[in-house]
Amino acid sequence: MLMTFERRRWLIAGTLGILASSWLLLSSGPVLSDWRLPLMWLPGFGTPMSELEQTVVTQLRLPRLVLGLLVGAVLAQSGTAMQTLCRNPLADPGLIGISGGAAVFALAVIALGEQIGLQGSVWVSLAAFLGALVTTFVVYRLAGGKTGVDVATLLLAGVAINALAGSLLGLLSYYADDDALRLMSFWQMGSLAGASWQQLPLGVVLMGVSSIALFMLRKPINTLLLGERQARYLGVNTVSLKRQLIIWVALGVGGAVALTGMIGFVGLIIPHIARMLVGANIRWLMPVSMLFGAAVLVLTDWIAKTIVAPAELPIGIITAAVGAPFFIYLLIQQKRRLHAGY
């Protein structure tokens, strides 16, 4: 009972974190700051919003908040699923090449859009999503077999795809002009600045379907912690489960990358922190990861908007600056555990 209470405490903490970070994002920024702004929607609360306040909050900050919450939750949830599938706390959705494949297609449109007649953020988003699907198909074909997806081959295929994506990105950068090169660099660092009500429906559908599907699979996913053989003894179709995991992770991460660019380390760090708080049980780990991922990404976005105001720092710079040292810490901890086992 005490353990359940402690786990629920972290669910409450994640929910409060979302509320606090959302309040910060809606009420403050380089253009307009007033802690009462989120309350002005309530009838009878003080002075109603001015036209400027309505435009800033409803057209700029609110879609940005919705996108940040959704992307943060999906990246953390996908990271949880990948770490469980690989049975490795250092696994990450980008490890199997999904983010790299999406980046190649999106940056190809940015660099060559004028020549091929595909210009604009909508084409970039669609290209990124198409790249994620193509990459998933290639990786799945390489790692799939009669017995299902081989995790070791999956990781090796991801390494190869990421290496190929890196070379193609370098080639695109070589041929891009100065304006396209600047856009490419900004897109690779990730940002929520392009959030709009026009783009959100696509992202909500893709990431929403992925999130719901992975959440409904949390019980069979939990059995993978015991190993595939034990999971099969418990009646789980591991071949089908692994296939579904890869498809839903690709759908969610592809949708996120299509709308925000490449935001790294969220899918790596947040699940690991949640695991230290509530343990490895997916029943608790997945919802806590999603809550913390949403709260952290929205808070990071608020920092990105205010730290160099009136300019804006790409959110990927902040997540990488925090995530890289933490990743090194995880490697050191894993090395110590390996040595302790000898």
Side-chain angles (χ1 to χ4, degrees):
M1 182 65 68
L2 179 62
M3 181 62 69
T4 300
F5 171 77
E6 290 178 351
R7 288 169 169 169
R8 287 177 179 170
R9 179 180 63 186
W10 292 114
L11 288 174
I12 296 172
T15 304
L16 293 177
I18 287 179
L19 294 175
S21 58
S22 299
W23 194 290
L24 278 174
L25 189 63
L26 289 176
S27 64
S28 61
V31 176
L32 184 66
S33 293
D34 189 339
W35 67 270
R36 298 171 298 175
L37 282 176
L39 295 175
M40 289 182 181
W41 280 311
L42 301 178
F45 183 86
T47 307
M49 284 186 180
S50 65
E51 185 175 350
L52 173 63
E53 290 171 337
Q54 287 181 351
T55 301
V56 170
V57 174
T58 61
Q59 300 302 316
L60 298 178
R61 294 180 183 174
L62 196 55
R64 189 168 182 146
L65 171 63
V66 174
L67 182 60
L69 291 173
L70 192 57
V71 169
V74 167
L75 290 180
Q77 183 186 35
S78 299
T80 301
M82 286 302 302
Q83 290 176 9
T84 306
L85 173 64
C86 301
R87 294 192 295 279
N88 189 332
L90 302 180
D92 168 79
L95 196 65
I96 61 175
I98 298 173
S99 299
V104 170
F105 277 63
L107 297 187
V109 172
I110 294 176
L112 308 174
E114 188 174 349
Q115 289 91 325
I116 60 179
L118 300 177
Q119 290 181 287
S121 59
V122 174
W123 287 111
V124 174
S125 299
L126 290 175
F129 179 63
L130 179 61
L133 290 182
V134 171
T135 305
T136 302
F137 175 78
V138 172
V139 171
Y140 180 78
R141 293 293 296 177
L142 290 173
K146 295 181 179 179
T147 59
V149 178
D150 180 69
V151 174
T153 307
L154 178 72
L155 297 178
L156 291 174
V159 170
I161 293 294
N162 282 324
L164 178 60
S167 66
L168 292 176
L169 292 177
L171 186 63
L172 289 171
S173 299
Y174 180 80
Y175 282 104
D177 57 30
D178 291 342
D179 292 337
L181 191 59
R182 181 175 178 83
L183 287 175
M184 291 169 65
S185 299
F186 189 80
W187 192 90
Q188 285 180 284
M189 290 184 284
S191 175
L192 300 180
S196 66
W197 293 120
Q198 290 74 28
Q199 287 184 317
L200 273 180
L202 174 64
V204 169
V205 171
L206 297 178
M207 290 184 279
V209 169
S210 167
S211 181
I212 293 172
L214 286 175
F215 196 80
M216 293 179 65
L217 289 173
R218 64 192 184 280
K219 288 185 178 179
I221 291 175
N222 221 14
T223 62
L224 291 178
L225 295 171
L226 304 173
E228 288 189 39
R229 179 176 299 177
Q230 287 76 6
R232 286 195 294 268
Y233 287 156
L234 293 174
V236 176
N237 186 342
T238 57
V239 175
S240 175
L241 178 59
K242 289 188 290 184
R243 182 188 304 120
Q244 291 180 68
L245 278 180
I246 295 170
I247 292 173
W248 296 128
V249 166
L251 189 67
V253 174
V257 172
L259 295 181
T260 64
M262 300 178 70
I263 299 176
F265 290 101
V266 174
L268 169 67
I269 297 174
I270 300 302
H272 193 81
I273 293 176
R275 190 177 293 105
M276 292 189 294
L277 297 176
V278 299
N281 191 327
I282 299 296
R283 177 190 173 191
W284 298 99
L285 177 60
M286 185 173 285
V288 170
S289 294
M290 294 174 70
L291 291 173
F292 275 61
V296 166
L297 194 63
V298 170
L299 178 62
T300 306
D301 185 47
W302 175 78
I303 294 173
K305 288 202 311 176
T306 57
I307 194 172
V308 291
E312 181 173 327
L313 199 66
I315 192 172
I317 292 179
I318 300 176
T319 57
V322 175
F326 192 84
F327 186 73
I328 294 172
Y329 166 77
L330 294 182
L331 291 175
I332 294 174
Q333 290 294 104
Q334 188 179 57
K335 182 178 179 180
R336 288 176 177 174
R337 284 195 295 268
L338 288 173
H339 284 302
Y342 289 132

